[in-house]
Amino acid sequence: MQMILLRLLLLVLILSAPNNAAGAAAAATKEEGKKGSSGFELNKKDPIYITADWMEVDQTKNTIVYKGRVVTVQTDMTMRSEILTAYIDPETKKMKQIIAEGKVNATQGNRVATGEKAVFDDTAKTVTLTGSPVMRQGNSQVSGVKIIYYTEQDKSVTEGDGKVRVQATIFPEELKNREPEDATQK
């Protein structure tokens, strides 16, 4: 029992460590004070709170699995899913990948990302959303078959597959209101 408690404490420390980009299974954005940021990424400083109906720590597989109405909260970002699986690198003891599955919904301010699966990959520094993914900011939105957010580049790519095309709804008035903020960040 002590080993499980130590492992859980280690998980919290790992998720909030400065060198770890996993999270939320998340999906949190850059610091909220940075207006105009449009993508989700992990906050590496603040604690992550997770609630679920069930949890399993498997030290032989180096995994932690949460199931049933999973809610992950970090500062102003909240992610909901049915299953959340964290994969830990056995050598470095750091999170290498987090997968959220089943009715994934991540919100932060006026940003919302939904889909059936979200994969947070610390090695590739990406968040990949699949299963009818939709990303919204304000009234604008984009959808496709797959949305990949590159956390270190603050860029995203939305893909279609021939049957499903990328669709975007853009409100020019909202973009116009953001232009002065974006220009000051460069």
Side-chain angles (χ1 to χ4, degrees):
M1 185 65 175
Q2 280 183 323
M3 191 60 168
I4 292 173
L5 292 175
L6 288 173
R7 190 73 164 176
L8 291 175
L9 179 59
L10 179 62
L11 172 65
V12 172
L13 292 173
I14 288 170
L15 290 173
S16 59
N19 292 328
N20 183 21
T29 69
K30 293 197 185 239
E31 54 194 86
E32 190 59 27
K34 188 174 180 179
K35 295 179 183 174
S37 176
S38 61
F40 287 88
E41 106 179 51
L42 221 217
N43 171 336
K44 301 171 196 169
K45 299 179 290 189
D46 298 318
I48 298 170
Y49 302 97
I50 302 171
T51 57
D53 293 333
W54 179 89
M55 181 194 81
E56 174 185 73
V57 176
D58 188 332
Q59 294 181 32
T60 60
K61 294 180 181 177
N62 294 301
T63 61
I64 301 173
V65 180
Y66 298 89
K67 288 185 181 179
R69 300 178 298 163
V70 181
V71 180
T72 307
V73 178
Q74 186 182 42
T75 56
D76 64 339
M77 196 281 290
T78 300
M79 187 176 72
R80 299 175 190 282
S81 62
E82 289 301 314
I83 302 170
L84 180 70
T85 306
Y87 295 90
I88 301 165
D89 184 309
E91 293 178 18
T92 64
K93 303 296 182 209
K94 292 187 178 183
M95 205 66 58
K96 61 181 178 180
Q97 191 176 69
I98 294 176
I99 299 175
E101 298 175 276
K103 301 176 187 172
V104 177
N105 182 313
T107 61
Q108 182 178 41
N110 70 345
R111 298 177 190 100
V112 179
T114 60
E116 283 302 311
K117 184 175 184 180
V119 178
F120 299 82
D121 189 324
D122 187 44
T123 305
K125 307 295 187 209
T126 59
V127 179
T128 303
L129 193 60
T130 56
S132 302
V134 177
M135 289 190 77
R136 293 180 186 88
Q137 182 165 359
N139 292 315
S140 298
Q141 74 176 33
V142 65
S143 63
V145 172
K146 181 192 296 186
I147 299 174
I148 305 167
Y149 177 65
Y150 297 86
T151 60
E152 290 187 340
Q153 300 169 17
D154 194 20
K155 113 179 171 179
S156 65
V157 174
T158 304
E159 299 176 3
D161 68 357
K163 293 180 183 178
V164 176
R165 298 185 69 200
V166 173
Q167 295 183 16
T169 303
I170 301 166
F171 288 81
E173 200 59 37
E174 289 180 10
L175 292 175
K176 180 180 170 186
N177 293 337
R178 284 186 50 207
E179 285 175 13
E181 293 175 24
D182 290 342
T184 61
Q185 289 181 14
K186 293 182 180 179

